[in-house]
Amino acid sequence: MKALDGVRVLDLATLFAGPTAAMMLGDHGADVIKIEHPGRPDPARGHGPDGLWWKMLGRNKRAMTLDLSRPEGQELLLRLAGDADVVIENFRPGTLERWNLSYERLRAANPRLVLARVTGFGQFGPYAARPGFGTLAEAMSGFAAMTGEPGGPPTLPPFGLADGICALATAFAVLAALRARETTGTGQVADLSIIEPILTVLGAQPTIYDRLGVVQPRTGNRSVNNAPRNTYRCADGTWVAVSTSAQSIAERVMRLVGRPEYAGEPWFATGAGRAEHADELDAAVAGWIGARSRPEVLDAFERAQAAVAPVYDVRDVLADPQLAALDAITTVTDPELGRLRMQNVMFRLSDTPGEIRWPGRPHGADTDAVLAELGLAAPEIDALRAKGVV
């Protein structure tokens, strides 16, 4: 048994935020049907080398094609929606309505349907019609402005951070709406903008500015709330990261690196006080770490019960024994490519664990099977394909 057995999701979205949310639901047993245009597949299929990104993003989804701009495609979607629980879409506001697939019409076909709408800026407001991508959200949320070295340019992440955070929020919104449906008996619309989830996880900055007028500056790897907190180069050229969010940890680190006198300074008693003296604390830590290899550093920090971690690249991730014990990177078999390693389901449920049942499927691989489930015979499907509807 899976936690979402019996839940059917129609994934109409493209690229990352919406499709990643659908992937997460599929990981826990939802029957996810990925619906793409017959002639214009999801651009994510071509993202990254050899289309490998799609093998993860499309996992646990059945792949079918449908032209939603055509009346025949719209009618088929309504029939699919009649037996679905969730529709996830990320078209610009007004697109579904232009295709005569408004929520009112979808709801007429299925009053219990949950519609998750994922856009850059939400369904209303002065920016609603703008194209929206995670990069724009990373810029406009304040993330880029606080990221980077002091005096350097604002810095964007080298991956879809805002999209990933929005995907988690979308999956949560869908589950909240499904839970509410148990009480109300009806579905609802979940309106998500990519900018709001990343804005939320940036913390209390709006409150701090509102009350104190403080704008968080770029501090590189340092923190304005504690020190020492940075990445440090070891003697063998590798790197480690040190965190001292807890006072006791900060004291242990300074004893370890041979500077216990700092712990007796009045300013050392608070994280903010230590942050004001980050230069001298960093110098002490960097000097000690820089004289030792990474294995020596990690061993000493572990014995001192101080917080340290190696800075990994993907090769290290794949070789780490803790991640191996968790099966965080698992192995799946793909009919096209054979053995593939990818991130596993991101959490473990004791009684209804999630599972990667299959990697991303070829474009339209399951069209005939899904349409047959609607009662269409092979000649009808052939006719739709000849007209370019599927």
Side-chain angles (χ1 to χ4, degrees):
M1 178 182 175
K2 304 297 180 201
L4 299 180
D5 279 351
V7 173
R8 174 167 284 189
V9 178
L10 306 181
D11 176 11
L12 313 184
T14 58
L15 291 172
F16 305 118
T20 302
M23 179 201 79
M24 294 172 183
L25 299 173
D27 284 351
H28 288 278
D31 176 19
V32 180
I33 301 174
K34 173 73 176 180
I35 298 177
E36 302 169 84
H37 190 279
R40 296 190 298 277
D42 186 336
R45 286 184 178 274
H47 191 78
D50 300 325
L52 291 174
W53 194 281
W54 171 254
K55 290 299 180 181
M56 176 185 172
L57 188 63
R59 73 191 193 192
N60 292 333
K61 300 179 184 181
R62 296 196 284 166
M64 74 170 295
T65 58
L66 201 57
D67 186 347
L68 300 180
S69 68
R70 303 181 61 162
E72 300 96 328
Q74 294 159 16
E75 289 300 323
L76 286 170
L77 183 72
L78 287 171
R79 290 176 64 180
L80 287 167
D83 192 37
D85 298 280
V86 180
V87 172
I88 300 176
E89 63 97 1
N90 69 339
F91 304 111
R92 290 198 201 184
T95 301
L96 281 186
E97 288 75 10
R98 189 170 68 250
W99 290 340
N100 201 23
L101 291 170
S102 66
Y103 184 60
E104 289 70 27
R105 193 173 184 209
L106 290 168
R107 195 169 190 170
N110 181 357
R112 293 174 56 80
L113 188 70
V114 172
L115 175 62
R117 315 194 76 169
V118 184
T119 57
F121 302 102
Q123 293 294 311
F124 55 90
Y127 303 159
R130 292 183 182 180
F133 297 99
T135 298
L136 308 187
E138 289 147 10
M140 294 180 66
S141 64
F143 172 85
M146 73 171 75
T147 305
E149 293 298 322
T155 301
L156 296 167
F159 66 100
L161 176 64
D163 286 287
I165 296 171
C166 185
L168 287 164
T170 301
F172 174 69
V174 165
L175 295 178
L178 291 176
R179 175 64 181 87
R181 190 179 70 176
E182 295 178 10
T183 301
T184 66
T186 59
Q188 60 183 299
V189 175
D191 174 11
L192 293 107
S193 69
I194 297 176
I195 193 171
E196 288 174 285
I198 188 171
L199 184 62
T200 297
V201 302
L202 290 179
Q205 291 185 64
T207 307
I208 293 169
Y209 176 74
D210 178 60
R211 299 294 297 176
L212 304 175
V214 174
V215 177
Q216 182 169 326
R218 288 190 284 282
T219 59
N221 291 323
R222 289 179 173 176
S223 169
V224 297
N225 299 311
N226 64 78
R229 190 262 197 184
N230 214 326
T231 58
Y232 304 92
R233 187 182 180 95
C234 302
D236 55 11
T238 59
W239 293 80
V240 296
V242 172
S243 175
T244 57
S245 297
Q247 180 70 23
S248 59
I249 298 295
E251 294 172 2
R252 291 171 194 167
V253 169
M254 300 321 297
R255 286 196 298 269
L256 175 63
V257 303
R259 301 303 300 269
E261 70 274 13
Y262 281 133
E265 295 288 344
W267 50 261
F268 197 89
T270 66
R274 297 197 305 274
E276 292 176 358
H277 292 262
D279 285 344
E280 52 200 291
L281 295 175
D282 262 351
V285 176
W288 188 90
I289 289 176
R292 292 161 174 82
S293 69
R294 187 160 75 179
E296 291 175 308
V297 171
L298 297 176
D299 179 65
F301 266 74
E302 184 173 351
R303 284 188 282 108
Q305 298 184 16
V308 69
V311 176
Y312 278 173
D313 63 23
V314 68
R315 294 168 296 185
D316 302 309
V317 168
L318 292 175
D320 182 82
Q322 175 62 31
L323 295 175
L326 296 174
D327 198 25
I329 307 297
T330 196
T331 301
V332 298
T333 301
D334 180 70
E336 297 177 291
L337 301 177
R339 178 179 174 275
L340 293 176
R341 298 181 75 184
M342 66 177 63
Q343 296 95 320
N344 206 344
V345 179
M346 69 171 66
F347 53 85
R348 288 161 292 282
L349 296 179
S350 62
D351 295 339
T352 58
E355 178 187 18
I356 301 175
R357 290 162 286 162
W358 60 81
R361 303 265 289 150
H363 182 233
D366 302 292
T367 299
D368 288 20
V370 174
L371 293 178
E373 291 172 6
L374 288 179
L376 275 69
E380 296 176 277
I381 297 172
D382 291 340
L384 290 168
R385 184 167 283 114
K387 294 174 67 175
V389 177
V390 301

